[in-house]
Structures are given as C-alpha cells and as structure tokens.
C-alpha cells in the first residue's frame, strides 16, 4: 500500500538569483539610451571589475566558457596539444579546450578539496608525457594553489589559466584571484556569486593577452571595431584573427555594475551561511562539511558536503529524502568522462577512469546544499535539521520515507 506523502511545509530551492533594484533601473536606462550592445557601460564595468580583483585588464565576454576558449586561443595551441583540467568540472571547460585546438587531459582530485592537487596534477602530466597548458579550477570558491600546480604540471604561469567561475571574492594566499596566471576567467551566470543572468570576464596583467582577447571576442576584428557606428568614426575595420562572437552587451554590463555594488554584502552573507551550515551539520555522523583553507580566502560559491557509509543512506537516496522535506539539492560535478560525448571521445587516453580513482570514489558521495545570499537562517536550519532527521532515522534502520513508496 502506498501512502500519500504530505506536501513539505517548506520549500527551499537550490538557488535563487537576486537582481537588485539598481540593476533593474540601470538596464532600463540603457534600453532607453539608443545604444544597447557593447559600448560605454561595458568599458566602465571592465574598469570596475578589474579594480575589484586587482588586475590591470578586464575583457567582458558572453560567458566564462567563452573566456576560457579565448584565453586558450591566445596560447596558439597546435592541434592535439594537451591541456590539463580537473575531471570533476563543468563540461563547458572541456568543450572550450577542444574548440581552442587542444585535447583535455583529465586530472584526478584530492578527496578533501574536490579539485586537483599538486600530486594528481603531476601524475596526469607524467602519464601523457607532458602538457602544453592547464586550466586551474578553484572548486566551490576554494582557492587552488595556482603556482604550486603550475610547477607540478611542468608549466610556467604564462601557460596556465584559471577557471574562476566560482571565484570572484576568493584570494590565493593574500592575493585576490584575477592576475595570478596568464588569464583568469569569471562567470556571471545566473547561479554564480556575481549573477547578471549570463556573462563572463577575462582578467589579466598581460597587455598582449588583453588585446588579443578584445579582438577574439568580436569576430577577430581590429580593436574598437564596436565604435564603427559612432559619429566621426570610420566604417572600416580589419579582421586579423579567427574570432568568436562573444561580446558582452551594455545592458548586461549596466546590470553588472549595479550588482557589483551589492557584491561585498552578498559575500558576507555567504560566509555567515557557511558558518551556520558548519555548526548545524557538526556532529551528524556520516557528514563531512567543507573547510575554509588555512591560507587565502574562500569565496563560498557552493556548499558541498561529503557522505560516508556511516550515514546509512546513499547520495541519491539522501537527495530524494531531502526533496520530500522540501529541500532541493544538486551535485557538482558529473565527471567529464561520465558524459556520453567525452566518454566516446576518450580524451587522449583509453580507459581514462582507471587514472581517476578518487573522482570515481568521491563523485557518488557529494551533495551541494542550497546556498545563496537570499537563503534565510530558518531555511538553512531546516536543511540541517532535515539531514539530521534522515541520519537519525537511518541509524535505527527504519525504512526511509521516499516518494512514492513510503511505508506507513
Ligand atoms: C558555471 C561554470 C562554468 C561556465 O560558466 P558560463 O558563464 O556558464 O559559461 C565554467 N566552469 C565552472 C567550474 C562553472 O561552474
């Protein structure tokens, strides 16, 4: 007999984007201005963002994925050149490597930080007989030791880029992310710490990288081609590179400038919520909470817990039981080689999974909890209490109430 599960009294969504009133007003102002694509708002946003992360140059683009492709294109990879990436990252990173002419080489992770360590990086580089470049991931907002990883890969920092999609607000040691490697790539996707809806930014201290990126983001046209419709400007432009169509619009940039003003407050709230989760989950057997690094500053983009067998329920079971209590979780990330495309493509090597034992062991144990500045204290507490309840129930070996086969 099946019993109807009563609807949960609370609904804690996984993510909710906040677009502040100033951003909405700014978007309206630009929409009414007569110029809506790349223009003065983008230039101002680039300057303000560069200052925020302490980089000399910032180039606004359509996404972090585009920023990664553009950054790698400035390396002029030869076809098939090997590029290291975490095996547990977003699929767009591998696609960007391939589109830039490289071949992704998947790196195993450290089971605590959930991103490549110096050891796993060195092992991957050795395995394929050396690499041409590397994309360093700062997983969940946790700073990765960029210089140490570059050394482990046998690469100078000028052949390393950073995926800082989780990253505005993080610091590696005492250095804000943005100018450490050849290019740092940020995402303004709707779920990220600085949400615009869509958008990305490439930052660098290298003037040549910045100049190439400015051209590559707009069809490879000569610099400032976007000005060609301004009064007094020439209609002429030159196409010097095989570029992308990946520019940012002034509407996005105006939203971004206003959102940037809210950013410090949002980051503060993320740190508060992380502390609240640490406290609320401490002592639940079978739950390992993420840790802030000893050095540097965590940006707290995601709150990823790990489960041990002591919990008594598996990852998928926990996610289903939480959904029954109105708590909606996610998983970051499905490993690249688990996706049909990258499994079929066998990045560089056959049987790549055999080189990724920690990814294989850890992936089935991770859960990303609801985590965003608008999450209330009450909702965060409800998440912790729900997990505690499920853990307590499983420890007395009661069948777990999971829709639709709950027992009465
Ligand atoms: C979101 C994300 C990206 C892609 O960002 P877009 O702006 O959507 O292209 C890349 N890497 C990681 C780790 C991400 O989480």
């Amino acid at each position: 007999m099946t019993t109807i599960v009563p609807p949960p009294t609370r609904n804690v969504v996984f993510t909710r984007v906040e677009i502040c009133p100033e951003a909405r007003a700014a978007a309206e102002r630009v929409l009414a201005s007569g110029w809506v694509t790349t223009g003065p708002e983008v230039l101002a946003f680039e300057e303000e963002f560069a200052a925020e992360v302490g980089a000399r140059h910032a180039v606004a683009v359509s996404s972090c994925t585009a920023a990664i492709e553009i950054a790698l294109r400035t390396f002029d990879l030869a076809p098939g050149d090997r590029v290291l990436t975490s095996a547990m990252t977003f699929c767009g990173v591998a696609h960007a490597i391939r589109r830039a002419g490289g071949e992704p080489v998947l790196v195993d992770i450290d089971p605590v930080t959930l991103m490549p360590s110096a050891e796993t990086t060195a092992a991957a580089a050795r395995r394929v007989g050396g690499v041409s470049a590397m994309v360093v991931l700062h997983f969940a907002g946790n700073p990765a030791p960029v210089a140490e990883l570059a050394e482990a890969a046998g690469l100078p920092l000028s052949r390393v880029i950073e995926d800082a999609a989780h990253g505005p607000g993080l610091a590696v040691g005492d250095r804000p992310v943005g100018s450490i490697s050849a290019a740092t790539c940020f995402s303004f996707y709707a779920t990220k710490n600085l949400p615009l809806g869509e958008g990305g930014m490439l930052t660098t201290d290298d003037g040549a990288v910045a100049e190439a990126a400015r051209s590559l983001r707009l069809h490879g046209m000569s610099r400032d081609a976007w000005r060609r419709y301004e009064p007094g400007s020439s209609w002429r432009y030159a196409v010097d590179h095989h570029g992308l169509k990946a520019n940012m619009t002034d509407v996005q940039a105006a939203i971004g400038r206003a959102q940037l003003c809210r950013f410090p407050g949002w980051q503060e709230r993320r740190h508060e919520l992380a502390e609240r989760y640490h406290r609320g989950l401490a002592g639940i057997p079978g739950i390992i909470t993420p840790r802030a690094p000893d050095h540097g500053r965590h940006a707290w983009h995601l709150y990823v817990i790990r489960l041990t067998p002591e919990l008594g329920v598996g990852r998928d079971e926990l996610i289903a039981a939480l959904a029954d209590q109105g708590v909606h979780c996610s998983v970051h990330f499905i490993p690249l080689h688990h996706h049909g495309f990258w499994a079929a493509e066998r990045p560089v090597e056959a049987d790549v999974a055999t080189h990724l034992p920690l990814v294989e062991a850890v992936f089935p144990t991770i859960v990303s909890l609801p985590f965003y500045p608008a999450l209330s204290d009450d909702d965060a507490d409800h998440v912790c209490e729900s997990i505690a309840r499920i853990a307590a129930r499983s420890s007395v070996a009661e069948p777990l109430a999971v829709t639709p086969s709950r027992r009465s």
Side-chain angles (χ1 to χ4, degrees):
M1 194 185 97
T2 44
T3 334
I4 305 298
V5 177
T9 49
R10 256 175 208 280
N11 199 38
V12 185
V13 295
F14 177 69
T15 183
R16 204 171 90 210
V17 65
E18 239 178 301
I19 303 290
C20 66
E22 296 82 359
R24 286 178 240 166
E28 259 195 61
R29 175 169 49 72
V30 172
L31 287 169
S33 73
W35 185 260
V36 294
T37 185
T38 309
E41 290 289 334
V42 167
L43 289 183
F45 185 38
E46 287 174 340
E47 255 173 49
E48 289 160 11
F49 192 84
E52 175 73 28
V53 301
R56 280 205 193 100
H57 311 278
V59 181
V61 291
S62 55
S63 69
C64 180
T65 306
I68 292 170
E69 179 178 344
I70 288 168
L72 289 173
R73 288 234 201 155
T74 68
F75 289 174
D76 282 325
L77 297 172
D81 268 0
R82 285 143 188 205
V83 181
L84 295 173
T85 171
S86 173
M88 213 168 78
T89 188
F90 185 61
C91 60
V93 177
H95 293 308
I97 292 170
R98 174 69 65 83
R99 277 197 304 272
E103 264 316 302
V105 170
L106 310 191
V107 185
D108 208 3
I109 57 167
D110 177 285
V112 173
T113 63
L114 307 177
M115 55 192 172
S117 63
E119 290 73 31
T120 63
T121 298
R126 220 180 302 121
R127 197 173 81 218
V128 297
V131 295
S132 301
M134 172 166 62
V135 181
V136 168
L137 169 66
H138 299 284
F139 182 82
N142 195 7
V146 184
E148 198 185 314
L149 296 179
E151 198 182 327
L155 293 168
L157 277 171
S158 59
R159 299 294 288 185
V160 173
I161 67 165
E162 288 157 88
D163 177 352
H166 304 173
L170 85 77
V172 179
D174 50 15
R175 194 156 172 194
V177 74
S179 62
I180 300 165
S181 61
T184 309
C185 306
F186 296 91
S187 175
F188 306 130
Y189 182 64
T191 61
K192 303 289 159 85
N193 284 26
L194 183 64
L196 276 67
E198 295 283 358
M201 191 75 84
L202 182 157
T203 64
T204 180
D205 270 0
D206 185 328
V209 169
E211 189 162 344
R214 279 183 213 290
S215 169
L216 285 169
R217 74 170 163 187
L218 194 63
H219 307 295
M221 287 175 170
S222 47
R223 206 167 181 280
D224 290 348
W226 60 271
R227 290 185 190 275
R228 67 192 185 279
Y229 302 115
E230 279 186 357
S233 295
S234 166
W235 51 267
R236 281 188 190 279
Y237 56 85
V239 175
D240 302 320
H241 308 281
H242 178 207
L244 291 73
K245 168 65 177 171
N247 54 312
M248 179 182 277
T249 70
D250 262 14
V251 182
Q252 284 168 291
I255 295 171
R257 296 179 67 196
Q259 294 283 87
L260 197 52
C261 298
R262 294 295 182 105
F263 183 65
W266 286 335
Q267 285 305 105
E268 211 172 290
R269 178 65 185 151
R270 284 178 180 275
H271 281 258
E272 266 174 29
L273 281 169
E275 284 303 318
R276 201 167 187 94
Y277 271 156
H278 293 340
R279 283 197 306 274
L281 298 169
I284 302 179
I287 300 287
I288 302 173
T289 54
R291 285 274 137 251
D294 297 335
H295 304 287
R297 189 173 64 237
H298 205 302
W300 290 113
H301 170 57
L302 296 170
Y303 195 91
V304 180
I305 58 170
R306 282 177 299 140
L307 317 182
T308 70
E310 229 192 318
L311 184 65
V313 298
R315 191 264 308 276
D316 296 352
E317 218 179 339
L318 176 69
I319 289 178
L322 283 171
D324 277 348
Q325 308 205 16
V327 174
H328 302 282
C329 298
S330 189
V331 173
H332 295 85
F333 290 97
I334 301 169
L336 288 171
H337 61 290
H338 288 204
H339 291 297
F341 178 76
W342 290 108
E345 289 285 315
R346 293 211 184 80
V348 180
E349 320 145 272
D351 302 324
V352 70
T354 60
H355 302 296
L356 305 168
L358 292 163
V359 168
E360 293 299 316
V362 165
F363 168 61
T365 71
I366 50 173
V367 180
S368 306
L369 301 183
F371 198 70
Y372 40 92
L375 185 71
S376 69
D377 286 351
D378 279 356
D379 281 349
D381 293 346
H382 176 68
V383 172
C384 298
E385 286 153 15
S386 300
I387 294 172
R389 232 177 352 255
I390 293 163
R393 236 188 275 149
S394 78
S395 72
V396 295
E398 258 186 43
L400 202 60
V402 174
T403 327
S405 57
R406 175 171 166 166
R407 281 178 36 174
S408 47

